[in-house]
Amino acid sequence: MLFELDDEQQEMRDVVRKFAQNEIAPHADSWDDEHHFPREIFKPLAELGLAGLLIPEEYGGLNLSRLMGAIIYEELAQADSSTSTWLSVHNMVAGLINRFGNDEQRQRWLPGMASGDLLGAFSLSEAHAGSDAANLRTSARREGDHYIVNGSKFWVTNAGQADVYTVMVRTDPNGGSKGISTLVIEKDTPGFSIGKIERKMGLNSDPTGELIFENCRVPVSHRLSDEGMGFKIALTALDGGRINIGASSVGLAQAAFDVATRYAKERQAFGKPIGAFQGIQFMLADMAMKIQAARLLVYQAASKYDDGAPDATMSAAMAKCFATDTAMAVTTDAVQVLGGAGYVRDWPVERYMREAKVGQIVEGANQIQRMVIARALLGRLDG
Ligand SMILES: Cc1cc2nc3c(=O)[nH]c(=O)nc-3n(C[C@H](O)[C@H](O)[C@H](O)COP(=O)(O)OP(=O)(O)OC[C@H]3O[C@@H](n4cnc5c(N)ncnc54)[C@H](O)[C@@H]3O)c2cc1C
């Protein structure tokens, strides 16, 4: 059981913290205001190895553990949870190509992804298929050594910015979840275009949008693993993705807590700092407790994933669900501690609160996480 970071973990955390606090945090508010995707920090992040967390060294990556990844995402999210989100999606895609791709595919995409030249995106959801993702309809019909892809995908993080999209498509119309395959589709492929970019509550510096495929010809050699493996690949990605979202949520909650604590010591009311009032003290104590519990759950889930533990999927669901619920509660309370100052944009806590909400929805909404946990505990009782 892990309670303290070892020397190597602390060293990496400190490097990331320094970069995040100096190069990211000062810009997070304006990037959000201006809806600016900070592509300019992708290369510097890659130079620290952070664009190749799951890429083997022979392709230019660091090949780190999930636990180390969780520590890194926590630090990045303390500076800007939007950056942590888009980078974690990128690393998730690289991890899938490494795990399910062949040598040729790894050689084609991984070095560029590790060096910060190619940005990744992951596309499972469709307009009518979010939680019920196996119901997706975007079709890929085989024609010789190509697939002809038709349909549209929704809510894709990094849409329009990414260079390499892993797209779950239906290769067998009657195959249910076993009729889904994963294609890697490059941004300039004829027949592929970007549709609507969503206007969102938060994470405004990272585009979320639609992918449109109109008779898009994708080489069969760009399929990861066998036909029919796509849903399994997506679920594998989500286990890791959930740990990352959990870690980012811990970082976001910590950032909100730090602002609230500082404010509670400085802000005066009735002749005292507001932190002298028990009503504020108990809020801060609850926030600190929840953050620490969430952090430990995330670290435990990451360690179980690294060890291939049989309950790794349940642990990832627990960590994601608890950490994102914690971030929502803590950021909401941080706004309350700051009072009116919390509601206006002079302070970052209103942004933190807007950003926390999405964690409860993405990578499987928290109701779905509870279903995953209950199924692991009870088995399938509904036939
Ligand atoms: C900012 C953002 C970024 C995203 N990025 C990506 C991305 O990069 N790639 C990608 O593929 N997708 C992405 N998504 C989509 C995201 O994964 C889905 O929104 C999510 O899976 C929920 O699906 P849905 O929105 O269709 O909700 P629905 O499935 O319509 O669910 C609506 C509500 O019903 C609940 N619900 C559904 N089924 C059940 C059930 N059986 N029992 C109890 N409650 C249930 C849900 O929990 C939710 O509260 C993103 C979404 C957002 C908002």
Side-chain angles (χ1 to χ4, degrees), residues 3 19 113 161 177 273 381:
F3 289 107
F19 180 83
M113 294 183 84
Q161 287 291 339
S177 64
L381 300 176

Side-chain angles (χ1 to χ4, degrees), residues 42-92:
F42 189 35
K43 274 267 177 194
L45 284 165
E47 277 156 22
L48 292 178
L50 306 188
L53 295 185
L54 303 174
I55 296 177
E57 285 166 26
E58 59 184 301
Y59 299 111
L62 291 184
N63 201 22
L64 296 179
S65 67
R66 291 286 172 168
L67 178 57
M68 196 65 246
I71 294 163
I72 289 168
Y73 292 125
E74 190 184 325
E75 286 303 324
L76 290 174
Q78 278 197 57
D80 179 30
S81 76
S82 186
T83 298
S84 174
T85 301
W86 63 255
L87 191 70
S88 77
V89 169
H90 165 82
N91 277 308
M92 175 168 92

